[in-house]
Each structure stands twice: as C-alpha cells, then as structure tokens.
Amino acid sequence: MRAAVVEAPGKPVRVADYPVPQPEAGERVVKIVACGLCGTDVKLRAGRVPGVRYPLVLGHEPAGLEVETGRRVAVYPHLSCGRCVNCVEGRENVCLRSGGTLGITAQGALAEYARVPERNLVDLPEGLDFVEGALAGGVVAVSLCAVRKMGGVLDQWVVVAGLGGLGLVAVQLLNVAGARVVGVSRSAAKRELALKLGAVAAVDTLGSWVAEVRQLSGGDGVAGALDFTGSTEVVAGLVYCVRRGGRVVMVGYTSAPLEVPHAETVLNGIDVMGSRSYTREDLRLALSLIQRDKVDPLVAERVGLEEVDEALDRIAAGVVTGRLVVSLGGGL
C-alpha cells in the first residue's frame, strides 16, 4: 500500500510502499478514504513535536471503510488505555497510559489502509461523506473540546484568536451557543470570513487589538478567550482582554516557554488552561452538529497523496483558509 511518510525531522514528505497492516486481537483494518491535514503535520515534518519517532507515517484525521464489515467510520486517533482514572472519567484525550496518537506518536493513517483498535471506530451518520467524517474530529471536535472548557457563554463576549480552520469553526460553535464573538487575526480575508460565520466583530492583530477588544466588550473585558495561534505574545494579550474571573483556553502551541502577565493573572483570578485534542464524546457530538448543519468544517481543497508535502508548505505559509483534505479515493 502507499503511505505518506516523514523519514526524519526536516525531511520532505514522500510516498512510500508499506505492507498492508494485519489486525491483532481487538483491532480492525480501515480502508482510508479521506484524511485531514493541519498545522500539527507541519510541526511533525519539521521535528517540532516532542516524543515522535521517525520514520513516521502521518495522518491523525482519518475516515474510511472498515474492511471486514464495510462500515463507514471516522477514526478516533488516541490510543488510550480505557482503564486509567482519566479514561474512566471520559477524558481519554489525556489518558495516563496512552499508547500514542495515530500519525503523531504512533504510525498514522495517511495511507491506503490503517490498523486501529475497534473501540476507536465511530460510525458516520447518514448523509455525511468521508471528508466531513475526517474533519469532524480533526477540526470540529478539537474546537468543540476547547469551547466546552469555556463554560456558559450565552450572551457573553468571547474572543477567538487565530482564524484558521480551527478558529473559524470555533466562531461557528460559539455563535450557535449564543456568544458574542470577536475574531482576531492578521488576515483581512479570514476576518471577513469570521464575520460571515457569525462573529460580531473582527480585529486586526497588527493594531491595538487588546484595547479594541476591551472597548467592544464595554470596558470590563470579555468573559473568555480561545487561542489557536500558539503565540506566547497573543496569549499574554488575551490575559489583558479578559475580565476579572475570566478564562483563557489555549489550543495552539509551540515549543517556546509560555510567558503570561503573572500579577494580572493571579490578582484578577484568571484561569489559563490548555485544551488537548478531543474526546470520543466530542467526536460524536461534532458528527451530529455537522449532520444537522449547525457547523461547516470549511473544506478548502482536496489533494492527492503525492501532493501532501506541497500542501503542508501552503499551510505553513498561512495561505490556506479552511482545511485541506487528502483524498485516497474509493467513496468520496
């Protein structure tokens, strides 16, 4: 079978031949039909994600057909143990004894076939195609997990910093939840799209964006903020954006140390927290939201397996609005 592999950090993605995987007890083989690409794949190619062993087959946002039964499925990528306290509480995205994540710290699914635990298969609802199934996890569920950490947002001001695929989906989810959303981005095109998707305002990061956000929210600051940029400077700005008792949820990340205004965070009682990926429940809810037309995963383009390296260049350059999906044929 063909698979997209990074041989070593800093090397381009190439298509290589691998044996078709054989399932072990409790596993299934899935014929991959679609798999999303994102900024994490860019970091993996560059060697900027800790705990990765190369060569690595990419692909952590797959959907396809279970070979044995023909079931149409989205694949949950985290190889959680199912037994630790976090898994029992439904937080398998932070499993204490994780076997890794497909396409990140375990071999991935950007290939014609992938071997995965049966419990990681989630049925695609009627009417959803494989592209929507792939992006339900990689974009909608990731944003949904972060939005749920915000708590109640009905009629509250909330900032979304970074309007890539995840941020633009977060704008939609927050709008559905009744929040008053302010989008923050350096891209005029992405700010315009955020407004079309339900944001009440969109602010340019090249200006005095913190002051603008506070002014929009009446001077007290917003109830919460979501960061998809991974910029420590932006996160620090968001701490100044939120009101006393507010919350900053971080989804984007880099390997650089995080620096936030220490006194302002403590004295204003601000929660600063990370949101890692998503749970199976987030994935099921994301699929339902897409099926009911509550959120659009914003497919920007479909590319072939041989085009992955060039596609990652465009994601790295910040010129993609929405999400890129790799098509592996057979059902799209």
Side-chain angles (χ1 to χ4, degrees):
M1 70 172 188
R2 298 179 304 148
V5 60
V6 179
E7 295 286 358
K11 297 291 186 180
V13 178
R14 70 180 186 90
V15 177
D17 289 325
Y18 277 74
V20 175
Q22 300 300 311
E24 297 181 0
E27 296 181 332
R28 293 290 184 267
V29 173
V30 177
K31 177 178 173 57
I32 304 301
V33 180
C35 188
L37 293 175
C38 73
T40 297
D41 296 303
V42 174
K43 295 174 184 175
L44 288 163
R45 184 181 63 169
R48 300 202 308 268
V49 178
V52 177
R53 295 182 179 180
Y54 297 88
L56 174 71
V57 176
L58 296 175
H60 60 281
E61 303 177 5
L65 292 164
E66 184 191 344
V67 170
E68 185 177 349
T69 64
R71 289 170 60 198
R72 302 169 62 254
V73 296
V75 178
Y76 183 70
H78 298 301
L79 305 178
S80 51
C81 73
R83 298 180 299 276
C84 72
V85 62
N86 285 354
C87 284
V88 170
E89 291 176 349
R91 298 187 296 148
E92 58 269 75
N93 55 327
V94 286
C95 172
L96 298 177
R97 299 178 184 86
S98 173
T101 299
L102 298 177
I104 301 177
T105 48
Q107 296 302 317
L110 195 45
E112 292 178 312
Y113 296 91
R115 185 185 72 181
V116 299
E118 184 177 13
R119 67 176 182 270
N120 285 46
L121 303 182
V122 178
D123 289 324
L124 291 184
E126 183 178 352
L128 261 62
D129 63 25
F130 292 102
V131 168
E132 292 169 317
L135 296 187
V139 59
V140 178
V142 172
S143 297
L144 177 62
C145 185
V147 167
R148 293 173 82 176
K149 284 179 176 285
M150 297 295 300
V153 295
L154 182 63
D155 202 34
Q156 300 292 315
W157 286 95
V158 178
V159 172
V160 176
L163 299 175
L166 292 172
L168 289 168
V169 165
V171 169
Q172 298 176 68
L173 292 170
L174 288 163
N175 186 49
V176 170
R180 290 180 279 180
V181 185
V182 181
V184 175
S185 174
R186 63 186 178 184
S187 166
K190 292 178 180 179
R191 293 197 304 273
E192 182 178 351
L193 182 53
L195 294 172
K196 291 179 180 178
L197 293 172
V200 296
V203 176
D204 190 345
T205 52
L206 297 180
S208 301
W209 64 275
V210 173
E212 290 184 58
V213 168
R214 292 194 70 93
Q215 183 178 13
L216 283 166
S217 60
D220 290 331
V222 299
L226 292 170
D227 178 66
F228 295 97
T229 70
S231 164
T232 187
E233 292 84 3
V234 172
V235 173
L238 293 175
V239 170
Y240 286 114
C241 285
V242 298
R243 69 189 184 209
R244 283 191 169 185
R247 178 168 293 178
V248 177
V249 178
M250 300 177 295
V251 181
Y253 64 93
T254 69
S255 57
L258 176 65
E259 297 180 2
V260 296
H262 199 157
E264 286 78 5
T265 301
V266 174
L267 297 178
N268 289 321
I270 295 169
D271 295 330
V272 179
M273 63 179 67
S275 181
R276 181 181 192 264
S277 193
Y278 56 98
T279 67
R280 282 186 184 83
E281 179 57 30
D282 291 324
L283 176 54
R284 293 187 183 94
L285 182 53
L287 288 165
S288 176
L289 289 168
I290 297 171
Q291 183 190 37
R292 293 184 288 129
D293 295 323
K294 297 297 183 181
V295 61
D296 181 352
L298 299 172
V299 179
E301 185 181 344
R302 304 180 188 196
V303 301
L305 200 60
E306 294 79 6
E307 302 171 277
V308 168
D309 196 65
E310 184 272 336
L312 294 182
D313 286 340
R314 286 190 281 143
I315 293 173
V319 297
V320 178
T321 299
R323 292 300 281 264
L324 296 181
V325 181
V326 181
S327 166
L328 288 100
L332 275 173

